[in-house]
Structure formats: C-alpha cells, structure tokens
Amino acid sequence: MASQTEEDLSCPICQNIFKDPVLLSCSHSFCKGCLQKWWSVKIINSCPVCKALSQQREPPINLALRNLCEAFLRDRDRGAPKRSEPLCGVHQKKLRLFCLEHQRPVCLICRDSKAHDKHTFRPCDEAAEEYRPAVRELLRSVREKMDLFEKVREDYDRTAGHIEFQAHHTERQIREEFENLRRLLQEEEDARVSALMDEVQQKAQEMKEKIQELTKGMASLSGTAGAVELQLRSADVPFLQNYAATVEAARRDLLLDAPPTAAGALVDVAKHLGNLSFGVWEKMKGWVSRWPVILDPNSAHPDLRLSEDLTSVTRRERQKLPANPERIYSYPAVLGSAGYDSGTHSWDVEVGDSSLWALGVLAPSPQKNNNDPSKLLKVAFCDGEYTADSGVDPPGVLPITKRFHRIRVHLDCDKRRLSFSDAASETHIHTFKYNFSEKLFPYFNVVNAQPLKIMPAK
C-alpha cells in the first residue's frame, strides 16, 4: 500500500515525490520547477502527459497535494530504521580490514583463514582513503555523462516541441492553401454555370420571339380560313359578289413564308462540357506559380526567418530551434530542400538593394553540421565588390563594377560547372568548375534585413 501511495505522489517528470506541485487545467500535476524547465524548451505550453494546451503560464499551487506529500515524507522519515555498522557475513564480526586481492572488507578472523592465505590487508580507513579519489573521479565522469545526457534530453524535448509546432503550423498552411484552391474552383464553377445560364436565357428568349411571330401568322391564316369557309356557305349571288376579295385575301396570306427550322437554337452543350476538367486545369496554371527551389527550414540558421511559402529568407532576432544535424550554425544561411547530382538546374534570386549576400551550392556534411567550407561554392557581394569563394583558396575579387539586382544561378551537374550571371542582361559574373560527387544543395546567405527572394519559374 505504501509503494502505491509513493507512486501516486510522484511527479511524472522527475519521478520523485512532488515538490511545490502545480495543477494544470487538464487535472495533471507536476513539480513547479520540473514544469517550468519542461516548458523552457517548448514552443507551446502543453501538458507533458496529455499534450493539452495550458492557458496559464503560472499554474496555481496544488495545496492539497502538497500537504499530502509533506505528510508522507514526515511519516517515511519517522519510520526509517537506524543505520548499524555492517558485520562479516561469515563470522558476524566487525569489518576492520580490506583484502587487496579480493577487493572487499573482512574481519580479523577472515584474515587468518585459509581463504586469505598470503593476502595483503590494509585497515579499512586507510584503504577507503586510498580508493576514494578514484571513485570521486568516476563520480565526476558519471556526472559529466549525466550532464551530457541531460543536454541531449533537452535537445530531444526541444525537438519534440518543435515537431508539435511544425505540425500545427504546416497543417494550417495546407488547409489555407486548399481553401484558396477551393475558392478559386468555386469561382470558376460559378462563372461557367453563369455562362451556361446566360446562353440558356438568350436562346430561350429567341425561341419565345419566334413562337410569338409564328403564332401571329397562324392567327392570320386561321382568320382567312374562317372567312373563306363562310363565303363557301353563302348563296350564289353573295358568293360571287365577294369572290374577288376572298381570293385576293387568301392569296395574300398564302404569300407568307413558313418560318424556317431554327438553326443553332439549342444550347451548345459541347462548349460547356467538352474537356471541362482539362480547361479548368489549364486555367489553374495561371492561378499558381512553381518555384525551382524551395528553402528547407530545418537547415536554416536560428537568426533567419523564412516566408510562409518557403521562397524568401531574411535575417531577424534569434529564435529557439532544435540543434538538429542539418542546421547551419557557422553562417546565417539556409539550404534548398532538394539536392542535385545530375542534369542542369537554374534558379533566379532577387537580391534587390541588399549590400551583403552570398549565393551558391553546398555539399552538406552531417558530421560537421553542414559547416564544411571545403564543399561550398559561392559568389558573395560585400561593400560593392563581388567575390568568388571555392572554400579552399582565399576568395578572389571579380572584375564586376555594375550592381545587379537579380542573380541567376545555373548548375550543370553533368559538366560539373556552376555559373552566375545577371538574370536581366545575362551578363556573366563567374563560373566554378568542381569535382564533387555528392549532391549539391542551393545555398543562400543573408546578413542584413534585406530579404533574398527566389523567383518563380516561367
């Protein structure tokens, strides 16, 4: 029963009896210090057990639980047995000596036994004094290892929190993107239905007018037919008196042309339904853009901020991010999300009026946290000068005096060439020749608040 009570009074984080327990809105309790340490490496304040979001940065103290813990500790300390001096398990005598061969304490009778014949002994106090430094050194090493594990655990906790943040943030962006597509599709559907209704209304009106005209002609013919029938039933003299007028009226109505069959009167169904989905898809290509390079937020230096669509980067205040191996720390840089080791690839970057930037490619080295300069090819602009840096030799100043605002990077993996030029005038800036066999990832270095923007492909 006591062990069950101790488990009930233990913090889920440190596994010890609660110290200053606080209560979250989800009804879970934690040590105040443990919870604050847990939250210090998280993006959002959530319960460590059920992940429910906490609306309070300073949760209230759980007074009832604190009183229970204090009472439990008092009872446990009161009932703890007093320590007694250990005795020899064979002779039940006090352990006075330490056997250097067996490396364990023994009593005086053990010293004279056959089991310890010709062994060397030291008094326990001398042996303890001799061995304590080695154990202290072991303890120091163990604590250092514990500190290392604690740092790794903090990194893991920070990574777990960042995964939660990424999940919420990415899900929101996905839903917004699809909501935007649904809105565009709904607008296109409404426009096409409206065009259909306009044609239906126009052709229905035309048919109505034709029917009215035809009805008018039929009424005239019906009147003439009635008058002729009436004349046929009249006596001979009146018949002959009206004969000429009757014949003229009948012949006049017979001159009326019969309305032709209405060509093109039906709705042009084929126009509205033919290749409907293909036509919508063709139009959708005008709604969306495709970028040749998408930035990888998991590689971005903590000082950098990426745009929502991952096509622009700028420098801001440092943020707390997991220390994952893909992240760059030596430079305020970020990599593209895809690497290339075959074919040709080009991307244009809007550098604008930025006075300090660098563009190029990098062959990442996870063992060095993407910070191996020997696999970095870049062209940089600083203080009005363009420099080319292969990561091995010192950077060389390029004979370029004109200021460019949009740089085109062209990577030919088959010929192993990396070229830079002005995207507007196609002025050549520099070309690297390399012999790397690894995948090369687009590299973007931004030092000031002026963003670097990847331009959509044509």
Side-chain angles (χ1 to χ4, degrees):
M1 185 66 179
S3 62
Q4 180 63 37
T5 302
E6 183 171 355
E7 180 181 348
D8 294 339
L9 298 179
S10 296
C11 171
I13 297 178
C14 66
Q15 304 299 318
N16 295 323
I17 300 300
F18 284 109
K19 184 177 181 180
D20 295 330
V22 293
L23 180 65
L24 299 184
S25 57
C26 60
S27 300
H28 289 116
S29 293
F30 306 91
C31 297
K32 182 177 180 180
C34 294
L35 184 63
Q36 295 301 330
K37 187 174 182 181
W38 179 278
W39 280 354
S40 67
V41 295
K42 297 291 182 181
I43 303 297
I44 54 179
N45 296 338
S46 60
C47 173
V49 174
C50 67
K51 306 305 180 184
L53 295 179
S54 175
Q55 303 299 326
Q56 297 175 304
R57 181 63 187 174
E58 298 288 341
I61 297 292
N62 191 336
L63 295 176
L65 181 58
R66 185 176 68 179
N67 294 336
L68 286 174
C69 292
E70 291 175 352
F72 174 82
L73 291 174
R74 284 196 302 270
D75 292 342
R76 188 177 67 178
D77 294 341
R78 190 181 300 119
K82 294 183 179 179
R83 297 181 60 183
S84 59
E85 188 174 355
L87 301 176
C88 174
V90 178
H91 306 105
Q92 298 301 308
K93 300 295 183 179
K94 292 183 179 180
L95 301 172
R96 300 298 188 188
L97 302 173
F98 182 77
C99 177
L100 298 183
E101 282 74 15
H102 286 172
Q103 290 286 294
R104 67 168 182 256
V106 296
C107 67
L108 295 176
I109 299 176
C110 290
R111 177 191 60 182
D112 299 328
S113 67
K114 186 176 180 180
H116 293 276
D117 188 29
K118 297 182 180 180
H119 284 188
T120 305
F121 298 89
R122 294 282 187 278
C124 283
D125 56 348
E126 290 184 10
E129 189 65 25
E130 180 181 351
Y131 285 104
R132 281 186 195 280
V135 175
R136 288 193 187 99
E137 182 63 23
L138 284 174
L139 176 60
R140 186 186 65 80
S141 299
V142 170
R143 284 178 174 168
E144 288 179 354
K145 182 68 71 172
M146 287 177 61
D147 292 341
L148 176 61
F149 274 53
E150 181 63 27
K151 290 180 181 179
V152 174
R153 178 176 174 175
E154 290 177 0
D155 288 340
Y156 284 175
D157 290 340
R158 188 177 293 111
T159 300
H162 195 66
I163 289 172
E164 292 179 21
F165 170 77
Q166 286 181 313
H168 292 300
H169 185 70
T170 306
E171 179 185 2
R172 177 183 62 80
Q173 288 182 274
I174 290 174
R175 294 190 182 281
E176 288 179 357
E177 192 68 22
F178 273 91
E179 183 60 34
N180 186 47
L181 290 174
R182 279 191 287 270
R183 178 182 59 80
L184 293 172
L185 285 171
Q186 185 63 53
E187 291 176 356
E188 181 65 14
E189 177 187 346
D190 294 343
R192 289 176 177 268
V193 170
S194 177
L196 170 63
M197 292 298 102
D198 288 345
E199 183 180 353
V200 168
Q201 183 177 4
Q202 175 193 346
K203 293 193 172 179
Q205 180 63 30
E206 291 175 355
M207 188 53 59
K208 181 179 178 181
E209 292 173 357
K210 289 180 181 296
I211 291 173
Q212 288 176 347
E213 184 179 351
L214 181 62
T215 302
K216 235 167 137 183
M218 291 177 64
S220 177
L221 290 172
S222 177
T224 300
V228 172
E229 288 180 355
L230 183 61
Q231 290 300 318
L232 287 173
R233 290 196 297 270
S234 64
D236 293 343
V237 174
F239 169 76
L240 294 173
Q241 287 177 331
N242 295 317
Y243 168 75
T246 300
V247 171
E248 183 181 355
R251 286 177 176 172
R252 186 174 59 250
D253 283 348
L254 288 174
L255 293 176
L256 293 175
D257 294 329
T261 302
L266 300 179
V267 173
D268 191 352
V269 176
K271 180 182 74 173
H272 297 287
L273 291 183
N275 287 324
L276 177 59
S277 57
F278 179 80
V280 174
W281 174 74
E282 282 281 327
K283 194 165 186 178
M284 285 181 68
K285 291 194 294 184
W287 299 342
V288 298
S289 298
R290 185 188 70 83
W291 279 266
V293 172
I294 298 297
L295 301 177
D296 179 12
N298 296 335
S299 70
H301 187 280
D303 289 351
L304 301 185
R305 292 290 190 281
L306 306 186
S307 60
E308 292 285 318
D309 58 3
L310 306 179
T311 63
S312 175
V313 57
T314 187
R315 189 166 186 177
R316 298 285 175 81
E317 68 282 355
R318 176 159 294 205
Q319 53 188 335
K320 291 182 178 180
L321 295 173
N324 50 302
E326 301 86 356
R327 198 169 303 284
I328 297 176
Y329 285 96
S330 298
Y331 326 96
V334 61
L335 300 181
S337 60
Y340 311 112
D341 56 7
S342 64
T344 58
H345 311 272
S346 293
W347 55 95
D348 291 355
V349 183
E350 184 76 46
V351 297
D353 294 324
S354 176
S355 59
L356 187 57
W357 52 262
L359 300 173
V361 295
L362 172 70
S365 175
Q367 293 79 12
K368 298 184 180 180
N369 290 334
N370 287 349
N371 298 312
D372 185 0
S374 66
K375 298 295 178 69
L376 173 62
L377 305 174
K378 67 179 180 180
V379 163
F381 180 77
C382 179
D383 297 332
E385 285 186 339
Y386 292 91
T387 57
D389 186 1
S390 63
V392 179
D393 300 322
V397 178
L398 301 176
I400 303 291
T401 57
K402 187 176 180 181
R403 182 88 172 257
F404 301 125
H405 300 282
R406 183 177 295 184
I407 305 299
R408 175 164 298 157
V409 184
H410 182 78
L411 175 63
D412 190 333
C413 297
D414 300 328
K415 295 182 179 179
R416 299 196 175 184
R417 291 173 179 266
L418 177 67
S419 300
F420 297 82
S421 61
D422 173 43
S425 64
E426 299 185 355
T427 301
H428 178 258
I429 298 175
H430 187 71
T431 296
F432 289 100
K433 295 181 180 180
Y434 64 92
N435 56 5
F436 306 150
S437 58
E438 301 94 334
K439 278 190 175 182
L440 297 175
F441 288 74
Y443 172 91
F444 306 84
N445 185 309
V446 54
V447 178
N448 51 35
Q450 180 73 30
L452 299 182
K453 299 179 182 179
I454 302 168
M455 306 308 296
K458 294 183 180 180

